[in-house]
Amino acid sequence: MNLTDAATLRSLLNRHGFSFSKQLGQNFLVNPSVCPRMAEACGAGPGVGVLEIGPGVGVLTRELAVHAEKVAAIELDHRLPPVLAETLADFSNVHIVEGDVLKLDLHALLAREFPGLRVAVCANLPYYITSPVILKLLSEKLPVESLTVMVQKEAAARLCARPGERACGAVSAVVWYYAEPRVLFPVSRASFLPRPNVDSAVIQLRVRPTPPVVLRDESFFFRVVRACFSQRRKACANALAAGLSIPKGEAAAALKSAGALPNVRAEALPLEQLAALSNALWETRHG
Ligand code: SAM
């Protein structure tokens, strides 16, 4: 069954009485060149278990299953497993897990699904939870080597922007702390059914074995970067004071000890300075 053929896909979905849910970010891939490229980029092969999020009707799942030792795919929409039972009938190395990726215990899931295997994540992510999913996968320190994921084009640029670059935001700082991100290739909106209003891109985050900076407290660092970027147009000292409910003098002193000018904007701070800033503020509070 050729799932990238729009007519085949429509007839499959009609047979199952399935209609797309916008709320669940259901835009299914119908461009035949994308899934093979994603499967290759994520390193699917012997000895590798691939975790997919949101298999839909299984177009990427099938490609991953051809190459990987095993695929586990988490799907929230309970209407899809019966469709997947049909489209994945030829594969014995795929397990569909029904549930919400944001609520599942992923440590337990990976231990259960992939004992003895190296693990990669590969997914066409539902756009409405792109950042929460990526942050969960990274901050839970799962035994995963890389995430190869399709996201909206603008999200790709933001997620991969290096701290200190104009496009960066709080999420970029957190991503760079845990991983080395890069944009792999663009994917046009014409590659999906139904066609979304924006283009996409496949990005890859290679999880770092050790972080590039030392933090006194990771969750405090996340609070600090969120505060820094909460008011992008403002000087960082003001944004920090407002976001953390601290005196402006304390924010300015921490910026100074991180080697930054008091009127600097968050987007100009490289990861090392964001880390030094967070550590200085942490010391003031707890040191
Ligand atoms: N992989 C398929 C493809 O490329 O054609 C479908 C991708 S579609 C963009 C996103 C998929 O994620 C849908 O199947 C949707 O039902 C599923 N999904 C949405 N929210 C989810 C959640 N919280 N947990 C797991 N899956 C979810």
Side-chain angles (χ1 to χ4, degrees):
M1 188 185 300
N2 180 5
L3 293 174
T4 57
D5 175 60
T8 306
L9 177 58
R10 279 207 187 87
S11 111
L12 171 78
L13 295 176
N14 283 342
R15 227 170 346 98
H16 285 269
F18 179 92
S19 55
F20 293 102
S21 159
K22 209 172 172 180
Q23 218 180 357
L24 291 179
Q26 289 176 342
N27 300 98
F28 294 170
L29 268 165
V30 287
N31 176 336
S33 75
V34 176
C35 295
R37 287 180 81 182
M38 288 183 76
E40 189 186 355
C42 83
V48 177
V50 180
L51 176 68
E52 186 188 2
I53 294 145
V57 295
V59 64
L60 175 61
T61 325
R62 281 162 61 111
E63 192 65 36
L64 294 169
V66 168
H67 301 282
E69 192 84 34
K70 181 167 181 201
V71 180
I74 303 170
E75 177 55 61
L76 177 60
D77 188 340
H78 62 271
R79 299 171 304 163
L80 286 168
V83 183
L84 289 161
E86 182 179 334
T87 59
L88 300 171
D90 294 344
F91 297 95
S92 56
N93 61 341
V94 180
H95 183 208
I96 302 299
V97 180
E98 283 191 59
D100 182 340
V101 63
L102 293 176
K103 295 194 181 139
L104 286 168
D105 177 345
L106 296 181
H107 274 285
L109 187 147
L110 295 184
R112 200 171 56 236
E113 299 287 341
F114 303 128
L117 299 181
R118 292 162 49 212
V119 181
V121 171
C122 190
N124 172 13
L125 288 177
Y127 71 94
Y128 74 105
I129 47 169
T130 300
S131 291
V133 171
I134 290 177
L135 295 180
K136 174 176 163 117
L137 292 167
L138 293 175
S139 66
E140 290 191 354
K141 299 191 170 70
L142 301 165
V144 163
E145 292 182 2
S146 63
L147 320 181
T148 305
V149 289
M150 172 117 60
V151 300
Q152 291 191 347
K153 198 172 135 199
E154 290 71 20
R158 192 163 29 85
L159 286 159
C160 296
R162 187 188 282 269
E165 287 177 0
R166 200 174 165 73
C168 102
V171 71
S172 344
V174 177
V175 163
W176 273 88
Y177 174 70
Y178 288 114
E180 286 183 70
R182 65 194 172 116
V183 178
L184 293 186
F185 56 90
V187 179
S188 111
R189 67 192 74 185
S191 302
F192 302 92
L193 191 76
R195 184 190 285 224
N197 294 327
V198 291
D199 293 318
S200 292
V202 175
I203 62 172
Q204 186 165 68
L205 315 184
R206 299 208 68 83
V207 179
R208 299 178 191 273
T210 49
V213 290
V214 177
L215 297 176
R216 298 301 303 257
D217 183 321
E218 280 182 10
S219 56
F220 184 67
F221 172 73
F222 304 153
R223 276 182 60 204
V224 168
V225 292
R226 265 199 301 273
C228 284
F229 286 97
S230 62
Q231 303 177 49
R232 297 182 66 95
R233 302 240 165 93
K234 279 198 178 176
C236 194
N238 293 331
L240 264 176
L244 295 179
S245 305
I246 58 172
K248 192 181 162 196
E250 187 181 328
L255 277 164
K256 193 174 174 196
S257 80
L261 294 169
N263 60 349
V264 72
R265 289 192 186 176
E267 67 202 30
L269 293 172
L271 189 63
E272 294 70 23
Q273 277 187 327
L274 286 168
L277 173 64
S278 157
N279 289 343
L281 286 165
W282 194 91
E283 289 290 345
T284 316
R285 317 246 108 205
H286 308 95

